[in-house]
Amino acid sequence: MITHYIVGSNHRVLRCSILFLTALLVGCSSDGKRPNVLLVLIDTLRADHLHCYGYDGKITDHLDSLASEGVRWSCCQAQSSWTLPSMTSIFTGVTERAHLAGTRGEHLYGIGRELSTLPDLFSEMDYATFGIFNAPVMDVEYGFTRGCQSYDVEGCRETVDAEVVVDRIFEWVDGDIEQPFFIVAHFFDPHWPYTAPDGPQDLANVSASSIRRRNANGRITVREMHDMMSCYDMEIRYCDRELGRLFAGLRQRGLDENTIIVVVADHGEEFLDHGMMFHGRQFFQETIHVPLIMSGPGIPEDSVVDDVVGQYDILPTLMHLTEGSVPDYVQGVSLLPTDGVGHEGVPSSGVNTGLKQRAAVRFGDAKVLWDADADSAWGYDLSQGFEDEDSRLAPDRTQVENVRTYWATVPVAIPDPVEVGDHKAKWFKDMAYI
Ligand SMILES: [Zn+2]
C-alpha cells in the first residue's frame, strides 16, 4: 500500500511516498496484540513554546525528540480556549457546539451521558484503562473518569506536580495488567500559578484575579509579563523533564515498542499578545494553537503534517490505530494515514461566562471570527504571522456561511449539569471561569 505523507523540517515541506504494511497502518504488533495507548494532556501549553514548533528556547528536549520519532501536526486548533470544553472535545471527538460542556451563567456542565468517552471506548475493547486527572474541571462529576477502571483524582482537589503524575503512572503500570492498556495522564504544571518546583515561588500566593484586575487597568508592564513568561517556561521545562522520565520508564519496561504516545494541550496561554493574560476569553492563536504529536506502532517517523486539524480528530485516529469503532456522531476524522485530512474548516468556540459569544473557524491560512450577538464576521491571514490590523482579511461568503452553520450545530448530547462545591467555586471564580 503506497501512502503519501507530507514530511518537512525547519518549516520546509516535502512530499514523499512511504511504503507501509497494512498491519503497521493499524498499529498491531507482530504478535497481533493491540497496542497500548498513552494519552498525555498538557494543560495550557501553547504550541509556539516548543522548540520543535519554532521556539528559540530549548526547553522541550523530550517532546522535541518524541516529535522526531513520530508525527508532529503543525496546525492543530483547540476546539475551545479553556479546559472543560477543549478536554471534552478530546475525549469525545466532537466540537464544542456539539457537546456544550462548559459554563453558562454560574453553572458548569460536564460531558453529556449520551457521549462515549475515550476511556469508555477502550474499556469496551477490553483494554485496561487508567486516568490521572489534575484540575477541578476534570473531576469525577464532569465525566472524564467514566470508563476508567482505575483513576486518580487527588489532583482535582489540590493539583499535583508532574513528578507525582509520572510516579503514579509507574505504580499502575507495574501492577497486575494482562491486557493492552489505555492511560490518560493530565499534567497541569504550565497552568497558573507559574511555580515550577525548581523555579522561583514568587507567584505562589498571587491570585489570578489580582493579575486580571491589574491587567484590565493596564498596570502589567512588559517587563513583568516577561518575568511571568520565564516562570511559565520553567514549568514547561520541568514538565518536559518529567515526561522524559516517563518515556524512559516505558523503555526500561520494554513497553515502548508497542505503545502509542499522543501528546496534546487543551489550550494555550496569553502573555499580553492581544492585551490580555491567561486564557478562555478569546480565540487568537496564542490560546488555540496547540501542539499535537503522536509516535509509536503504525505512525510514521520524523514527519510534519501541515494540514489544519483539531483535537476532535484524536479519538477517531486512536480508534483507527487500535481497530476500534468510531461512534457515528463523531465529527473528527482519523489523521492517519496522513494523506489529505478532510476538514473544510476547523472550529473553536466556548468562552468563560459573561463574555461575548464568539466562534472562530480556521481554513488553511485564513481564520474567520464571528460575533454571535452582532452577527458580524472578520478574518485574519495567519501566514502574516500575527493577528492584527495588518493581517486583517475580508472573509469570503462561503467561509462566513461555514461559521454560521457551525454555530447552528445541533448538539449531539445534553451536557450534564454539575453542582460546584464552595472550595471549587472559589477557584473557578479566581480563574474567572464562572
Ligand atoms: Zn486547561
Side-chain angles (χ1 to χ4, degrees):
M1 182 180 289
I2 304 280
T3 310
H4 291 282
Y5 292 93
I6 296 169
V7 181
S9 66
N10 299 329
H11 305 289
R12 197 161 46 87
V13 179
L14 302 169
R15 184 171 281 273
C16 67
S17 298
I18 300 170
L19 183 67
F20 276 97
L21 297 174
T22 305
L24 277 177
L25 278 172
V26 293
C28 288
S29 64
S30 54
D31 61 4
K33 196 175 168 193
R34 282 174 163 173
N36 305 308
V37 177
L38 167 64
L39 173 59
V40 173
L41 308 171
I42 307 178
D43 215 291
T44 322
L45 177 58
R46 50 190 282 176
D48 63 359
H49 278 234
L50 280 79
H51 189 62
C52 60
Y53 280 82
Y55 197 45
D56 285 341
K58 287 203 75 182
I59 56 174
T60 51
D61 290 352
H62 299 286
L63 289 172
D64 299 338
S65 292
L66 187 76
S68 71
E69 292 160 12
V71 181
R72 175 174 73 80
W73 279 267
S74 69
C75 302
C76 181
Q77 297 287 103
Q79 267 52 84
S80 185
S81 58
W82 73 287
T83 315
L84 179 51
S86 280
M87 291 290 194
T88 300
S89 289
I90 294 169
F91 272 63
T92 63
V94 300
T95 60
E96 185 273 338
R97 294 296 290 170
H99 63 62
L100 292 179
T103 57
R104 272 167 289 289
E106 294 230 333
H107 300 286
L108 282 135
Y109 295 85
I111 304 174
R113 288 179 187 274
E114 301 88 338
L115 298 173
S116 293
T117 62
L118 275 167
D120 281 331
L121 294 170
F122 279 108
S123 197
E124 284 163 16
M125 290 158 66
D126 286 331
Y127 272 64
T129 53
F130 173 62
I132 177 158
F133 302 97
N134 216 348
V137 286
M138 302 290 284
D139 211 338
V140 177
E141 60 269 30
Y142 293 88
F144 292 98
T145 58
R146 248 162 43 203
C148 291
Q149 293 144 19
S150 309
Y151 58 81
D152 184 327
V153 289
E154 186 192 321
C156 298
R157 286 89 206 240
E158 200 69 55
T159 57
V160 295
D161 292 334
E163 183 183 356
V164 176
V165 176
V166 171
D167 285 345
R168 296 207 179 147
I169 292 170
F170 288 151
E171 273 172 37
W172 185 80
V173 165
D174 292 337
D176 191 18
I177 300 160
E178 300 272 310
Q179 66 268 56
F181 63 70
F182 169 75
I183 298 173
V184 52
H186 177 214
F187 293 83
F188 198 68
D189 304 85
H191 194 285
W192 176 268
Y194 317 126
T195 49
D198 55 355
Q201 301 299 308
D202 308 6
L203 299 170
N205 296 314
V206 178
S207 67
S209 51
S210 71
I211 297 287
R212 279 193 203 276
R213 261 196 311 278
R214 294 185 51 234
N215 183 199
N217 295 327
R219 289 177 47 217
I220 293 185
T221 63
V222 171
R223 183 182 173 153
E224 191 181 353
M225 178 274 289
H226 278 294
D227 287 346
M228 282 193 273
M229 191 190 278
S230 104
C231 292
Y232 169 74
D233 280 352
M234 283 184 199
E235 291 274 29
I236 295 171
R237 190 176 57 190
Y238 161 72
C239 188
D240 179 81
R241 202 171 58 223
E242 285 301 316
L243 286 171
R245 190 164 70 87
L246 174 59
F247 303 153
L250 293 179
R251 270 194 299 278
Q252 282 160 10
R253 289 164 174 80
L255 294 168
D256 54 323
E257 291 287 311
N258 199 32
T259 300
I260 293 164
I261 299 176
V262 180
V263 176
V264 67
D266 57 345
H267 52 77
E269 187 78 320
E270 296 176 78
F271 287 96
L272 303 183
D273 309 67
H274 289 90
M276 289 182 281
M277 296 289 295
F278 305 134
H279 54 265
R281 301 170 76 79
Q282 43 81 354
F283 300 105
F284 290 115
Q285 287 301 93
E286 57 268 24
T287 57
I288 58 171
H289 181 207
V290 290
L292 175 61
I293 299 166
M294 295 191 199
S295 102
I299 298 169
E301 289 181 18
D302 199 15
S303 300
V304 179
V305 179
D306 294 322
D307 295 319
V308 180
V309 302
Q311 296 164 321
Y312 60 154
D313 297 321
I314 292 170
L315 182 149
T317 307
L318 287 176
M319 289 299 107
H320 169 78
L321 287 166
T322 55
E323 299 183 281
S325 48
V326 179
D328 55 9
Y329 55 76
V330 163
Q331 298 164 310
V333 296
S334 176
L335 301 179
L336 294 169
T338 51
D339 188 13
V341 169
H343 284 301
E344 214 173 306
V346 175
S348 311
S349 55
V351 287
N352 295 156
T353 209
L355 299 168
K356 269 180 182 280
Q357 287 304 310
R358 283 183 176 161
V361 178
R362 181 167 178 180
F363 309 88
D365 279 335
K367 189 164 89 179
V368 177
L369 286 107
W370 189 65
D371 181 331
D373 300 327
D375 190 16
S376 67
W378 66 103
Y380 293 101
D381 176 1
L382 299 181
S383 69
Q384 298 298 307
F386 189 71
E387 294 153 283
D388 59 10
E389 283 309 312
D390 292 340
S391 64
R392 278 288 267 254
L393 203 66
D396 72 40
R397 262 197 11 223
T398 317
Q399 291 172 345
V400 175
E401 261 329 291
N402 184 306
V403 183
R404 281 209 187 94
T405 304
Y406 167 63
W407 192 257
T409 301
V410 177
V412 294
I414 300 163
D416 219 20
V418 174
E419 283 294 325
V420 181
D422 290 346
H423 173 66
K424 284 181 181 167
K426 190 164 169 276
W427 187 85
F428 287 133
K429 283 190 173 149
D430 185 41
M431 286 309 303
Y433 288 164
I434 57 174

